[in-house]
Amino acid sequence: QSALTQPASVSGSLGQSITISCTGTSSDVGSYNFVSWYQQHPGKAPKFMIYEVTKRPSGVSNRFSGSKSGNTASLTISGLQAEDEADYYCCSSAGGTTRWIFGGGTKLTVL
Amino acid sequence: EVHLVESGGGLVQPGGSLRLSCAASGFTIRNFWMGWVRQAPGKGLEWVANIKEDGSEKDYVDSVKGRFTISRDNARNSLFLQMNSLRAEDTAVFYCAALSYMAFDIWGQGTVVIVSS
């Protein structure tokens, strides 16, 4: 199964908002509300940012929000800050609760 | 504070085997599905395997089926990944993770596996 499709890179200026898309199929993103998003800084482990499409774990800034329409999920970061510069990955359940598929990752550059 | 610490990575020849371990602290893994996720050099994340709380269900990405085996020892608060018939394309950082809210909630720092002659 191929990875979910994300743009390779996005950029935005300090204080602006950006949106990262994550496109799957009717077998994964389109079938399950189990889409999550992860932030990864260079050389570090991923950090859990969004779960069940729209929910934020405790401690994650409300500048991060998620949504989904059909086979495409999205992560929006508002009020961009320098520390938001990182790689972002989406992940979806694929075929029930035991199989998972990640997106190819998006590099966010904060200008 | 919750932690996951992986170990067991290293350099291995193609066709060889390695056993990765992941020790949890600050929480008990018996309440969680657990999994392994890997990241090849310069590449994205790839889910590898999952195991249910009691070990009764396991699943694997197609590329490792028949070669990798995930297991757990809840009494030792530990997760394992036995990797056999290793290939160059298995070279990656391997992360263990605990799943909650149907997402990979807690991550370890990763252990490096290099498959090369």
Side-chain angles (χ1 to χ4, degrees), chain B residues 42-59:
Chain B
K43 302 296 184 182
L45 301 173
E46 180 184 38
W47 168 74
V48 174
N50 273 5
I51 184 169
K52 194 175 179 180
E53 293 94 331
D54 61 0
S56 62
E57 291 184 42
K58 306 175 185 181
D59 208 347

PDB file of all heavy atoms in Angstrom, chain B residues 42-59:
ATOM      1  N   GLY B  42      16.856   9.834   5.550  1.00  0.00           N
ATOM      2  CA  GLY B  42      16.326  10.870   4.675  1.00  0.00           C
ATOM      3  C   GLY B  42      14.918  10.633   4.169  1.00  0.00           C
ATOM      4  O   GLY B  42      14.444  11.363   3.299  1.00  0.00           O
ATOM      5  N   LYS B  43      14.252   9.622   4.727  1.00  0.00           N
ATOM      6  CA  LYS B  43      12.907   9.269   4.256  1.00  0.00           C
ATOM      7  C   LYS B  43      11.863   9.501   5.336  1.00  0.00           C
ATOM      8  O   LYS B  43      12.172   9.961   6.438  1.00  0.00           O
ATOM      9  CB  LYS B  43      12.872   7.788   3.827  1.00  0.00           C
ATOM     10  CG  LYS B  43      13.869   7.439   2.742  1.00  0.00           C
ATOM     11  CD  LYS B  43      13.586   8.168   1.438  1.00  0.00           C
ATOM     12  CE  LYS B  43      14.538   7.712   0.342  1.00  0.00           C
ATOM     13  NZ  LYS B  43      14.302   8.459  -0.925  1.00  0.00           N
ATOM     14  N   GLY B  44      10.616   9.165   5.006  1.00  0.00           N
ATOM     15  CA  GLY B  44       9.517   9.376   5.936  1.00  0.00           C
ATOM     16  C   GLY B  44       9.299   8.210   6.881  1.00  0.00           C
ATOM     17  O   GLY B  44      10.030   7.215   6.867  1.00  0.00           O
ATOM     18  N   LEU B  45       8.284   8.366   7.698  1.00  0.00           N
ATOM     19  CA  LEU B  45       7.938   7.333   8.667  1.00  0.00           C
ATOM     20  C   LEU B  45       7.189   6.196   7.982  1.00  0.00           C
ATOM     21  O   LEU B  45       6.401   6.423   7.060  1.00  0.00           O
ATOM     22  CB  LEU B  45       7.060   7.931   9.766  1.00  0.00           C
ATOM     23  CG  LEU B  45       7.654   9.092  10.556  1.00  0.00           C
ATOM     24  CD1 LEU B  45       6.601   9.679  11.495  1.00  0.00           C
ATOM     25  CD2 LEU B  45       8.879   8.652  11.341  1.00  0.00           C
ATOM     26  N   GLU B  46       7.435   4.983   8.456  1.00  0.00           N
ATOM     27  CA  GLU B  46       6.737   3.799   7.938  1.00  0.00           C
ATOM     28  C   GLU B  46       6.321   2.918   9.112  1.00  0.00           C
ATOM     29  O   GLU B  46       7.176   2.479   9.898  1.00  0.00           O
ATOM     30  CB  GLU B  46       7.610   3.011   6.973  1.00  0.00           C
ATOM     31  CG  GLU B  46       6.912   1.769   6.413  1.00  0.00           C
ATOM     32  CD  GLU B  46       7.781   0.919   5.526  1.00  0.00           C
ATOM     33  OE1 GLU B  46       8.985   0.761   5.818  1.00  0.00           O
ATOM     34  OE2 GLU B  46       7.257   0.373   4.530  1.00  0.00           O
ATOM     35  N   TRP B  47       5.027   2.665   9.236  1.00  0.00           N
ATOM     36  CA  TRP B  47       4.554   1.722  10.235  1.00  0.00           C
ATOM     37  C   TRP B  47       5.074   0.324   9.901  1.00  0.00           C
ATOM     38  O   TRP B  47       5.036  -0.090   8.741  1.00  0.00           O
ATOM     39  CB  TRP B  47       3.026   1.722  10.270  1.00  0.00           C
ATOM     40  CG  TRP B  47       2.466   0.594  11.058  1.00  0.00           C
ATOM     41  CD1 TRP B  47       2.458   0.473  12.418  1.00  0.00           C
ATOM     42  CD2 TRP B  47       1.857  -0.592  10.537  1.00  0.00           C
ATOM     43  NE1 TRP B  47       1.877  -0.714  12.773  1.00  0.00           N
ATOM     44  CE2 TRP B  47       1.500  -1.384  11.650  1.00  0.00           C
ATOM     45  CE3 TRP B  47       1.573  -1.062   9.260  1.00  0.00           C
ATOM     46  CZ2 TRP B  47       0.874  -2.626  11.509  1.00  0.00           C
ATOM     47  CZ3 TRP B  47       0.954  -2.288   9.114  1.00  0.00           C
ATOM     48  CH2 TRP B  47       0.610  -3.057  10.226  1.00  0.00           C
ATOM     49  N   VAL B  48       5.538  -0.398  10.916  1.00  0.00           N
ATOM     50  CA  VAL B  48       6.120  -1.724  10.715  1.00  0.00           C
ATOM     51  C   VAL B  48       5.239  -2.827  11.294  1.00  0.00           C
ATOM     52  O   VAL B  48       4.938  -3.814  10.618  1.00  0.00           O
ATOM     53  CB  VAL B  48       7.522  -1.813  11.349  1.00  0.00           C
ATOM     54  CG1 VAL B  48       8.082  -3.230  11.274  1.00  0.00           C
ATOM     55  CG2 VAL B  48       8.466  -0.805  10.690  1.00  0.00           C
ATOM     56  N   ALA B  49       4.835  -2.683  12.559  1.00  0.00           N
ATOM     57  CA  ALA B  49       4.090  -3.752  13.214  1.00  0.00           C
ATOM     58  C   ALA B  49       3.375  -3.217  14.442  1.00  0.00           C
ATOM     59  O   ALA B  49       3.804  -2.229  15.046  1.00  0.00           O
ATOM     60  CB  ALA B  49       5.030  -4.889  13.634  1.00  0.00           C
ATOM     61  N   ASN B  50       2.279  -3.906  14.811  1.00  0.00           N
ATOM     62  CA  ASN B  50       1.511  -3.582  16.010  1.00  0.00           C
ATOM     63  C   ASN B  50       1.201  -4.855  16.771  1.00  0.00           C
ATOM     64  O   ASN B  50       1.094  -5.939  16.167  1.00  0.00           O
ATOM     65  CB  ASN B  50       0.157  -2.964  15.621  1.00  0.00           C
ATOM     66  CG  ASN B  50       0.196  -1.478  15.432  1.00  0.00           C
ATOM     67  OD1 ASN B  50       1.251  -0.862  15.497  1.00  0.00           O
ATOM     68  ND2 ASN B  50      -0.962  -0.899  15.192  1.00  0.00           N
ATOM     69  N   ILE B  51       0.972  -4.725  18.073  1.00  0.00           N
ATOM     70  CA  ILE B  51       0.554  -5.858  18.881  1.00  0.00           C
ATOM     71  C   ILE B  51      -0.448  -5.386  19.912  1.00  0.00           C
ATOM     72  O   ILE B  51      -0.283  -4.333  20.535  1.00  0.00           O
ATOM     73  CB  ILE B  51       1.778  -6.551  19.530  1.00  0.00           C
ATOM     74  CG1 ILE B  51       1.364  -7.806  20.292  1.00  0.00           C
ATOM     75  CG2 ILE B  51       2.553  -5.572  20.432  1.00  0.00           C
ATOM     76  CD1 ILE B  51       2.560  -8.672  20.721  1.00  0.00           C
ATOM     77  N   LYS B  52      -1.503  -6.165  20.082  1.00  0.00           N
ATOM     78  CA  LYS B  52      -2.573  -5.838  21.013  1.00  0.00           C
ATOM     79  C   LYS B  52      -2.089  -5.919  22.453  1.00  0.00           C
ATOM     80  O   LYS B  52      -1.047  -6.521  22.732  1.00  0.00           O
ATOM     81  CB  LYS B  52      -3.749  -6.798  20.798  1.00  0.00           C
ATOM     82  CG  LYS B  52      -5.055  -6.360  21.455  1.00  0.00           C
ATOM     83  CD  LYS B  52      -6.186  -7.317  21.087  1.00  0.00           C
ATOM     84  CE  LYS B  52      -7.486  -6.894  21.752  1.00  0.00           C
ATOM     85  NZ  LYS B  52      -8.608  -7.821  21.398  1.00  0.00           N
ATOM     86  N   GLU B  53      -2.870  -5.332  23.373  1.00  0.00           N
ATOM     87  CA  GLU B  53      -2.482  -5.272  24.781  1.00  0.00           C
ATOM     88  C   GLU B  53      -2.056  -6.630  25.356  1.00  0.00           C
ATOM     89  O   GLU B  53      -1.067  -6.719  26.090  1.00  0.00           O
ATOM     90  CB  GLU B  53      -3.636  -4.718  25.632  1.00  0.00           C
ATOM     91  CG  GLU B  53      -4.004  -3.277  25.387  1.00  0.00           C
ATOM     92  CD  GLU B  53      -5.134  -3.121  24.393  1.00  0.00           C
ATOM     93  OE1 GLU B  53      -5.282  -3.988  23.500  1.00  0.00           O
ATOM     94  OE2 GLU B  53      -5.870  -2.119  24.494  1.00  0.00           O
ATOM     95  N   ASP B  54      -2.819  -7.676  25.017  1.00  0.00           N
ATOM     96  CA  ASP B  54      -2.531  -8.998  25.580  1.00  0.00           C
ATOM     97  C   ASP B  54      -1.727  -9.885  24.630  1.00  0.00           C
ATOM     98  O   ASP B  54      -1.528 -11.074  24.907  1.00  0.00           O
ATOM     99  CB  ASP B  54      -3.825  -9.710  25.980  1.00  0.00           C
ATOM    100  CG  ASP B  54      -4.750  -9.949  24.795  1.00  0.00           C
ATOM    101  OD1 ASP B  54      -4.384  -9.551  23.671  1.00  0.00           O
ATOM    102  OD2 ASP B  54      -5.831 -10.516  25.000  1.00  0.00           O
ATOM    103  N   GLY B  55      -1.293  -9.333  23.512  1.00  0.00           N
ATOM    104  CA  GLY B  55      -0.501 -10.081  22.544  1.00  0.00           C
ATOM    105  C   GLY B  55      -1.309 -10.977  21.625  1.00  0.00           C
ATOM    106  O   GLY B  55      -0.730 -11.702  20.807  1.00  0.00           O
ATOM    107  N   SER B  56      -2.627 -10.942  21.718  1.00  0.00           N
ATOM    108  CA  SER B  56      -3.463 -11.875  20.962  1.00  0.00           C
ATOM    109  C   SER B  56      -3.640 -11.469  19.496  1.00  0.00           C
ATOM    110  O   SER B  56      -4.060 -12.292  18.683  1.00  0.00           O
ATOM    111  CB  SER B  56      -4.837 -11.990  21.625  1.00  0.00           C
ATOM    112  OG  SER B  56      -5.501 -10.734  21.633  1.00  0.00           O
ATOM    113  N   GLU B  57      -3.355 -10.245  19.170  1.00  0.00           N
ATOM    114  CA  GLU B  57      -3.449  -9.790  17.776  1.00  0.00           C
ATOM    115  C   GLU B  57      -2.164  -9.079  17.397  1.00  0.00           C
ATOM    116  O   GLU B  57      -1.617  -8.292  18.179  1.00  0.00           O
ATOM    117  CB  GLU B  57      -4.625  -8.828  17.590  1.00  0.00           C
ATOM    118  CG  GLU B  57      -5.999  -9.452  17.721  1.00  0.00           C
ATOM    119  CD  GLU B  57      -7.103  -8.455  17.429  1.00  0.00           C
ATOM    120  OE1 GLU B  57      -6.958  -7.674  16.473  1.00  0.00           O
ATOM    121  OE2 GLU B  57      -8.119  -8.473  18.153  1.00  0.00           O
ATOM    122  N   LYS B  58      -1.697  -9.379  16.190  1.00  0.00           N
ATOM    123  CA  LYS B  58      -0.494  -8.745  15.651  1.00  0.00           C
ATOM    124  C   LYS B  58      -0.743  -8.451  14.184  1.00  0.00           C
ATOM    125  O   LYS B  58      -1.480  -9.179  13.517  1.00  0.00           O
ATOM    126  CB  LYS B  58       0.720  -9.675  15.776  1.00  0.00           C
ATOM    127  CG  LYS B  58       0.989 -10.201  17.165  1.00  0.00           C
ATOM    128  CD  LYS B  58       2.137 -11.204  17.177  1.00  0.00           C
ATOM    129  CE  LYS B  58       2.313 -11.803  18.558  1.00  0.00           C
ATOM    130  NZ  LYS B  58       3.441 -12.777  18.589  1.00  0.00           N
ATOM    131  N   ASP B  59      -0.103  -7.415  13.699  1.00  0.00           N
ATOM    132  CA  ASP B  59      -0.182  -7.134  12.272  1.00  0.00           C
ATOM    133  C   ASP B  59       1.119  -6.485  11.822  1.00  0.00           C
ATOM    134  O   ASP B  59       1.830  -5.885  12.642  1.00  0.00           O
ATOM    135  CB  ASP B  59      -1.389  -6.244  11.944  1.00  0.00           C
ATOM    136  CG  ASP B  59      -1.919  -6.466  10.537  1.00  0.00           C
ATOM    137  OD1 ASP B  59      -1.211  -7.118   9.714  1.00  0.00           O
ATOM    138  OD2 ASP B  59      -3.027  -6.008  10.235  1.00  0.00           O
TER     139      ASP B  59
END
